[in-house]
Amino acid sequence: MADFLSTGISGLLSAQRALATTSHNISNVNTPGYSRQRAELATRIPLALGSGFIGSGVNVTTVRRMYDQFSVDLVRTHTSTNSRLDTYYRMASQVDNLLADADAGLAPVLQDFFKAVQGVADNPSSIPARQVLINESESLVDRFHTIAARFSTLNETINSQLTSLTGEINHLAQSIAKVNHDITIALGQSGGQPPNDLLDQRDELLRQLSEHISVTAVEQENGAMNVFVGNGQILVLGAEARTISTVRNAHDPTRLEIVAGADGKGPIISDFITGGELGGMLDFRRDVLEPTQNSLGRIAVALAMTVNEQHKQGLDLHGNLGGEFFRLAGLPGHPATAQPATTNADPNDPVVIFEFTDVSSLTTSDYQMKFDGTNWVLTRLSDNRAIPSGGVDADGFVTFPSEGFRVQVSGTPTAGDSFLIAPTRTASAKLQMGISDANQIAAAAPLRSLASTSNLGNGTITSPSVTSATDINAVLGDKLTLTFSQNADGAGNPGFVISGGPFAPPNNVLPYNPDSHSNGKSFDLSDPDGDGVIDYPAYAGVTFTLAGKPLEGDVFTIERNSDATGDNRNALALAGLQTQSILDKTTSLQAGYSQMVSNVGARTHQLEISSKAQKTILDQAIQSREAISGVNLDEEAADLVRFQQLYQASAQVIVAANTLFQSLLDAVRR
Amino acid sequence: MRISTQQIQQVGISSILRQQEKLNHTQQQLATGKRVLLPSDDPVGTSQLLQLRQSIETTKQYQANAQAAVNRLQQEEGVLINVTELLQRVRELAVQGNNASQTNETRSFMAMEIRQQLDALLELANTRDGTGDYLFGGTKGSTQPFVKNAQGQYVYEGDQNQRFLQVGSDRKIADGDPGSAVFQLVRNGNGVFTTSVAGGITAAADEGNIGDGRIAKAMVGAQYLPQLAGYSIEFDGTDSYSVTDPDGNVVATGTYTGTMPGDISIPLELDTDGDGTTDITTNVAVTVTGTPYGTDHFTLRFESRPQGTAAIGEISLNGSFVPSLPGGYTLTFSRPDPDGPINYEVRDTNGVTVTTGVHAANTPIEFRGARIMISGTPAEGDTFSVRSSEYQSVFQTLEDLANALATPVNDAAGQARLNDAVNRAIGNIDLAMDNILTVRASVGARLKAIDSQTYVNDGYLVQAQETLSSVEDLDYAEAISRLHMQLTGLEAAQQTYLKVNGLSMFNYLR
């Protein structure tokens, strides 16, 4: 009797505990990271009697957290990947959006620029047409600046995000360390019963942490969880939290890097961070922002350099040689300075300057110039390859023909000194107009040819074109007279004798046979006799074609162009740059820009797909965790009913015991 | 599998959010009419779009360039038509002027009209285009191309460049022709060779000479220079000479080289147009026979020939003309016996005899590819020059014609000189008209080329716009049916959410 009273009481107490657990579940139905709990019931130790073992009721052995370590780990991993992709996608979309607007991109202003050049070619003497070109060029430069500014804003956003993310990560690390401490104590106090809610809390903190950065968590025997980031840097060790922080890049102060340590001290771990928002930001900066900045910069460099080169080969309305249409550090004659590392050792006086030599070889990569104690080594950072130099040129620059620039080093280097050469990074921000006066647009070609009006034959000469005269001033200074003679180069060897300029026998004859060359023969003045030996290097690129049948004594002259306000030859050549394959020798400027847009678009598109796919994977992981740990209210309602019944039934048992006892008492009282 | 309550809600809400996102995209597409809103919507398409837009804009620019070229070429064509008409009128006048029935007076009226036509021609050659640039100045747009200088010569101040405009991706067309090619670089004669009256030298030993020196032969450099007519050279038996101009002024003195008897060479440097620069630098080669005495004097007189009634008639090619450079050939007539046959001799620039013969009326003289008809009767010493055709501006041709017509004719020889000059002028005018026709043909060909290029460009524009539209533009029918489906989907998701979340066992626990 007393036995089943206590059995009834055990049922009552167990039902109370089970109901408490159920109501705990119900109350936490919306608590993030909460795992449902279950009061585990077990029979009490039975009484051993002669007649056998009599059951002695129920007992709550423990309150179990419905939990699966694998599911939790999976959710954490996928959370990390998901938030990396999501961040990466969000950032890339911003660039995508920026380039999407047909009116805001580079394409329309580039088009307008070349249209204006054509306008000048149509009507080279028109000042309004020239003014339009100046204005369109200014818009083009402005647009480069605007886009560059948007990119640099994105970079600043990344920097501030990196700083605030490291703050949050440090904060979460501290919270995890605190919970670790609490769990260790709770485990000791409870004699091994799991502190379920603390464990949930820690799992949730870890999950939050993995949104920011990818982490590895290892549980210790004392219940504490050690957390590692990057390639094994400790973030939480038991009850102790470590710190990560940001530091300015040694070469490029505009970008922050992540270090394992407080106050920017410690090893740089940026390259090892793979997941979370932090990983997404760093990936975006490395794979989208910087390559896009460089691509745009390369277009700016290519534009400035090719336009300048052509413009300098023309004559402006004042009859002067064209000046620099655009200005940009790094263009020939205007070396740019490479950024020294802040870690360079004393005396820290070397200066590295560089100049573009060939836009068609220019890449979108950055470079590091490092002194190894004996030699300077240039490394291309996109593939970490050492670039072989093409030797030292006449100006004392070390050339790198494969990369399209040359470098000069001065000062006393110490082993380990390094410099960052980002040839294209800031070009779009630094591009400037070189001319402002419409008269200074060099639309005319520098040379003209004339057939003498006293010529008797029907020989003709084309306008001389100048493509790459190395010393155009020398060429312009000379008036050349070509006189036809049947015996120009000795008896029986017809040709034109050049007089004027540096041309001297025996290299002053253009061999020309009126009988066999009357359909036209072209000449390059650097090699008048056409024997393949360059006799006058300064004249390289001055070419023209003679045709027809000149007669003895016929004279053609080549001289500096003057008063040719209607000459559009150089403007036409400038307009021709629009379709010229400039970048990588295969791509026009405009196509280079569309490639860049399309690259960003493809990257964003791919990220959109991956981040959606990753979201699904994460959802599935959450589902499988929820399947085990999630609270189902219907289930709890059922439990509520079930344990209520247990409680009521146990109470009835007590009533029965009481009734029996009363019966016994009544019997005795009589 | 267990489903947690939170999950049921989450699934419902995220499905609603997803539907809304899709709906929003479709809505934006419908609002803008564009299929591609962001480069990431269709990266390949975006790149294609940028390229297409560029090529459409560029082609439009080509069309604008073509229009500019057409405007200028049409203006040029108009001017050239006027020039042709003008030259035709001058030619008519020349033909009339050649007629023997004309008098000095009527010819002078004609000369006046031709001078007026010449002014009009100059005006035409200095036409400006719509932007104020000279049409025929080559690329020297702001320099007046044709001016008459202080010496009365028509000089071309432009250059020989053409301006090319880009009318297709690899098609450039010249929007004009330099004035030099139109008006100035016109061949004279028959285009291959030309003739002129060369004039001759009359040599005489002075009356009071003591010795018996005679001048056997006198030649000016390689050829006779017409500008020398009226000049005379007097030289003595030792080494000095003096030159007298047509007005009787001594304009040069000097010493010659060579000894008599034998060959002497008198250097000549003369400023015949009075502009202060030397126009003629040559040598006069004289062969003296006999024995002149030291104080003897000789005189050379330069005369404009012919003295007879000979004039050059039709000139034509007889095979391929062989030029003799630099001076050309001289055709000299001689009549040793005043009643005997008229001989002719052709010498090349070096004085080497090319051919000799007896002149017969209506029989052409032929040598080295040239066939020359001589009308009238040449006199002893009449000399004509036969040279490779030179460039002669159409202005000069008209000027020469006017001068010839203005010169009074007083005798048969004068009439012959007139006929000779007018015949030459007619030939030159014909060549000038031929030249202008050639230029006009080339202008016409260019207009036609631009026309067909414009047609090609237009075709490309239509096709490119179509491609652009097919890449960029939204298929409305598809988008609207998509919108409906998405609306239905969203409604379903919302209703499902409400229904599912409305279910709870707690509803039944009372």
Short mmCIF file of all heavy atoms in Angstrom, two decimals, chain B residues 9 25 33 44 64 68 70 75 90-91 98 141 148 150 158 163 227 276 328 335 355 391 441 449 486 493:
data_model
loop_
_atom_site.label_atom_id
_atom_site.label_comp_id
_atom_site.label_asym_id
_atom_site.label_seq_id
_atom_site.Cartn_x
_atom_site.Cartn_y
_atom_site.Cartn_z
N GLN B 9 6.22 27.51 -40.76
CA GLN B 9 6.08 28.94 -41.04
C GLN B 9 7.14 29.41 -42.02
O GLN B 9 6.87 30.11 -42.98
CB GLN B 9 6.21 29.73 -39.74
CG GLN B 9 4.99 29.56 -38.87
CD GLN B 9 5.08 30.43 -37.65
OE1 GLN B 9 6.13 30.96 -37.31
NE2 GLN B 9 3.95 30.55 -36.94
N HIS B 25 10.70 40.94 -60.68
CA HIS B 25 11.57 40.94 -61.86
C HIS B 25 10.73 41.09 -63.13
O HIS B 25 11.03 41.92 -64.00
CB HIS B 25 12.40 39.65 -61.89
CG HIS B 25 13.47 39.65 -62.95
ND1 HIS B 25 13.40 38.86 -64.05
CD2 HIS B 25 14.61 40.36 -63.06
CE1 HIS B 25 14.47 39.08 -64.81
NE2 HIS B 25 15.22 39.98 -64.22
N GLY B 33 10.21 47.29 -70.60
CA GLY B 33 10.16 46.71 -71.93
C GLY B 33 11.46 46.01 -72.31
O GLY B 33 11.67 45.63 -73.45
N VAL B 44 26.41 37.31 -71.81
CA VAL B 44 26.81 37.25 -73.23
C VAL B 44 25.99 38.27 -74.02
O VAL B 44 26.51 39.02 -74.83
CB VAL B 44 26.59 35.83 -73.80
CG1 VAL B 44 26.95 35.80 -75.26
CG2 VAL B 44 27.43 34.84 -73.02
N ALA B 64 26.32 60.09 -91.43
CA ALA B 64 26.46 61.54 -91.34
C ALA B 64 27.65 61.99 -92.18
O ALA B 64 27.59 62.99 -92.90
CB ALA B 64 26.63 61.97 -89.89
N ALA B 68 27.80 64.55 -95.43
CA ALA B 68 28.70 65.69 -95.59
C ALA B 68 29.44 65.59 -96.92
O ALA B 68 29.59 66.58 -97.65
CB ALA B 68 29.69 65.75 -94.43
N VAL B 70 28.50 63.94 -99.60
CA VAL B 70 27.55 64.14 -100.71
C VAL B 70 27.32 65.63 -100.93
O VAL B 70 27.36 66.11 -102.06
CB VAL B 70 26.22 63.40 -100.42
CG1 VAL B 70 25.13 63.89 -101.35
CG2 VAL B 70 26.41 61.90 -100.56
N GLN B 75 28.03 69.99 -104.61
CA GLN B 75 28.39 71.39 -104.88
C GLN B 75 29.50 71.44 -105.93
O GLN B 75 29.46 72.23 -106.88
CB GLN B 75 28.84 72.08 -103.60
CG GLN B 75 28.88 73.59 -103.78
CD GLN B 75 29.49 74.30 -102.58
OE1 GLN B 75 29.88 73.66 -101.61
NE2 GLN B 75 29.56 75.61 -102.66
N VAL B 90 33.81 79.72 -124.45
CA VAL B 90 35.11 80.25 -124.85
C VAL B 90 35.59 79.55 -126.11
O VAL B 90 36.14 80.17 -127.02
CB VAL B 90 36.13 80.08 -123.70
CG1 VAL B 90 37.52 80.46 -124.17
CG2 VAL B 90 35.71 80.94 -122.52
N ARG B 91 35.32 78.25 -126.19
CA ARG B 91 35.77 77.49 -127.35
C ARG B 91 35.06 78.01 -128.61
O ARG B 91 35.68 78.20 -129.67
CB ARG B 91 35.46 76.01 -127.16
CG ARG B 91 36.14 75.13 -128.19
CD ARG B 91 35.79 73.67 -127.98
NE ARG B 91 36.60 72.82 -128.83
CZ ARG B 91 36.39 72.61 -130.12
NH1 ARG B 91 35.39 73.23 -130.73
NH2 ARG B 91 37.18 71.84 -130.82
N ASN B 98 39.13 82.37 -135.06
CA ASN B 98 40.07 81.80 -136.03
C ASN B 98 39.65 82.10 -137.47
O ASN B 98 40.44 81.98 -138.40
CB ASN B 98 40.09 80.29 -135.81
CG ASN B 98 41.52 79.76 -135.86
OD1 ASN B 98 42.45 80.55 -136.01
ND2 ASN B 98 41.68 78.47 -135.74
N GLY B 141 41.92 74.91 -96.52
CA GLY B 141 40.55 75.39 -96.65
C GLY B 141 40.40 76.88 -96.55
O GLY B 141 39.47 77.45 -97.11
N LYS B 148 45.92 85.77 -109.00
CA LYS B 148 46.77 86.28 -110.09
C LYS B 148 47.86 87.08 -109.40
O LYS B 148 47.57 88.01 -108.64
CB LYS B 148 45.91 87.18 -110.98
CG LYS B 148 46.58 87.57 -112.26
CD LYS B 148 45.59 88.29 -113.18
CE LYS B 148 46.24 88.58 -114.51
NZ LYS B 148 45.29 89.22 -115.43
N ALA B 150 51.57 89.32 -108.98
CA ALA B 150 51.97 90.62 -109.51
C ALA B 150 52.46 90.54 -110.95
O ALA B 150 52.37 91.50 -111.71
CB ALA B 150 53.07 91.20 -108.61
N GLY B 158 46.74 76.49 -103.08
CA GLY B 158 46.27 75.37 -102.25
C GLY B 158 47.30 74.26 -102.23
O GLY B 158 48.43 74.45 -102.66
N ARG B 163 40.69 65.43 -99.05
CA ARG B 163 40.21 65.04 -97.72
C ARG B 163 39.32 63.82 -97.90
O ARG B 163 38.40 63.82 -98.71
CB ARG B 163 39.44 66.17 -97.09
CG ARG B 163 38.88 65.83 -95.74
CD ARG B 163 38.39 67.05 -95.01
NE ARG B 163 37.43 67.79 -95.81
CZ ARG B 163 37.38 69.10 -95.84
NH1 ARG B 163 38.24 69.82 -95.16
NH2 ARG B 163 36.48 69.71 -96.57
N GLN B 227 60.30 83.78 -124.67
CA GLN B 227 60.38 85.05 -123.94
C GLN B 227 61.52 85.94 -124.46
O GLN B 227 61.59 87.12 -124.16
CB GLN B 227 60.64 84.81 -122.45
CG GLN B 227 59.59 84.03 -121.74
CD GLN B 227 60.03 82.59 -121.59
OE1 GLN B 227 60.24 81.92 -122.61
NE2 GLN B 227 60.15 82.13 -120.37
N GLY B 276 62.39 91.02 -110.62
CA GLY B 276 63.59 91.05 -109.79
C GLY B 276 64.27 89.70 -109.63
O GLY B 276 65.32 89.62 -109.01
N GLY B 328 63.12 69.20 -125.54
CA GLY B 328 62.21 68.84 -126.62
C GLY B 328 62.90 68.97 -127.99
O GLY B 328 64.11 69.16 -128.09
N ARG B 335 65.09 77.43 -146.61
CA ARG B 335 64.83 77.50 -148.05
C ARG B 335 66.05 78.14 -148.69
O ARG B 335 66.08 79.34 -148.93
CB ARG B 335 63.58 78.34 -148.29
CG ARG B 335 62.98 78.09 -149.66
CD ARG B 335 61.63 78.78 -149.74
NE ARG B 335 60.88 78.27 -150.85
CZ ARG B 335 59.65 78.71 -151.15
NH1 ARG B 335 59.07 79.64 -150.40
NH2 ARG B 335 59.01 78.20 -152.17
N THR B 355 65.65 64.00 -137.96
CA THR B 355 65.19 63.71 -139.33
C THR B 355 65.26 64.99 -140.16
O THR B 355 65.22 66.09 -139.63
CB THR B 355 63.77 63.11 -139.31
OG1 THR B 355 63.39 62.78 -140.64
CG2 THR B 355 62.74 64.13 -138.79
N TYR B 391 52.15 71.00 -118.07
CA TYR B 391 50.92 71.42 -117.40
C TYR B 391 50.69 72.88 -117.71
O TYR B 391 51.60 73.69 -117.66
CB TYR B 391 51.05 71.27 -115.88
CG TYR B 391 51.11 69.84 -115.42
CD1 TYR B 391 52.18 69.37 -114.69
CD2 TYR B 391 50.05 68.98 -115.71
CE1 TYR B 391 52.23 68.07 -114.25
CE2 TYR B 391 50.09 67.67 -115.27
CZ TYR B 391 51.17 67.22 -114.54
OH TYR B 391 51.21 65.94 -114.11
N ALA B 441 33.41 62.82 -113.84
CA ALA B 441 33.10 61.38 -113.84
C ALA B 441 33.51 60.78 -112.50
O ALA B 441 32.80 59.96 -111.92
CB ALA B 441 33.84 60.69 -114.98
N ALA B 449 29.19 55.65 -105.39
CA ALA B 449 29.77 54.76 -104.38
C ALA B 449 29.19 55.07 -103.01
O ALA B 449 28.85 54.17 -102.23
CB ALA B 449 31.28 54.91 -104.37
N GLN B 486 2.83 33.81 -62.30
CA GLN B 486 3.48 34.16 -61.04
C GLN B 486 2.47 34.71 -60.03
O GLN B 486 2.56 34.43 -58.84
CB GLN B 486 4.61 35.16 -61.29
CG GLN B 486 5.84 34.47 -61.87
CD GLN B 486 6.82 35.45 -62.47
OE1 GLN B 486 6.51 36.64 -62.62
NE2 GLN B 486 7.99 34.97 -62.82
N ALA B 493 0.50 30.52 -52.72
CA ALA B 493 1.43 30.43 -51.60
C ALA B 493 0.84 31.13 -50.38
O ALA B 493 0.94 30.64 -49.25
CB ALA B 493 2.76 31.06 -51.98
#
